Amino acid sequence: MIDRVVQLGWVLDHLDDLASDFSVFHRIPDVTTLDGPTFLRLAWRMPAYEGVMRAAALAAREADTGPAPRMAPGRQEEINPGTRTALMADPAFAGLFSYGSSRG
């Protein structure tokens, strides 16, 4: 659980930056209107755009300052597409989201 908090902790350090990028790239003026999974799914993608979060991710990678949106060498970024299947299959998200019973 601590690893997961560390992995997502970068979001808390960049709330204003994320809000700014969300308003520019997704035209979402108030990020607090988003549910948690949607917010995190979109926040994870922010380094793909030419905004504040891309600059922060590149700076963190260069300085190796710890948790930040992951950007793999040779690729712009590694992202989980945020679909139910992808989230359930990704060990990094184990136990974070609950989709309830699959039985009707």
Side-chain angles (χ1 to χ4, degrees):
M1 181 63 151
I2 300 277
D3 290 340
R4 190 69 185 134
V5 171
V6 169
Q7 186 182 26
L8 293 176
W10 66 269
V11 171
L12 298 175
D13 294 332
H14 295 281
L15 288 175
D16 290 339
D17 296 334
L18 286 165
S20 177
D21 281 358
F22 271 62
S23 69
V24 172
F25 299 110
H26 294 299
R27 309 239 188 272
I28 299 171
D30 183 1
V31 295
T32 64
T33 62
L34 300 172
D35 61 83
T38 300
F39 173 80
L40 291 172
R41 186 177 69 243
L42 294 174
W44 194 253
R45 289 173 167 79
M46 283 289 96
Y49 301 97
E50 293 291 331
V52 176
M53 290 310 304
R54 180 180 186 86
L58 290 170
R61 181 176 67 179
E62 193 160 309
D64 194 29
T65 59
R70 290 184 295 180
M71 297 183 72
R75 294 186 56 194
Q76 286 204 343
E77 68 175 316
E78 290 179 28
I79 58 171
N80 181 308
T83 64
R84 179 179 179 170
T85 302
L87 289 170
M88 291 175 70
D90 190 332
F93 293 99
L96 187 62
F97 300 108
S98 173
Y99 292 99
S101 174
S102 60
R103 293 188 236 170

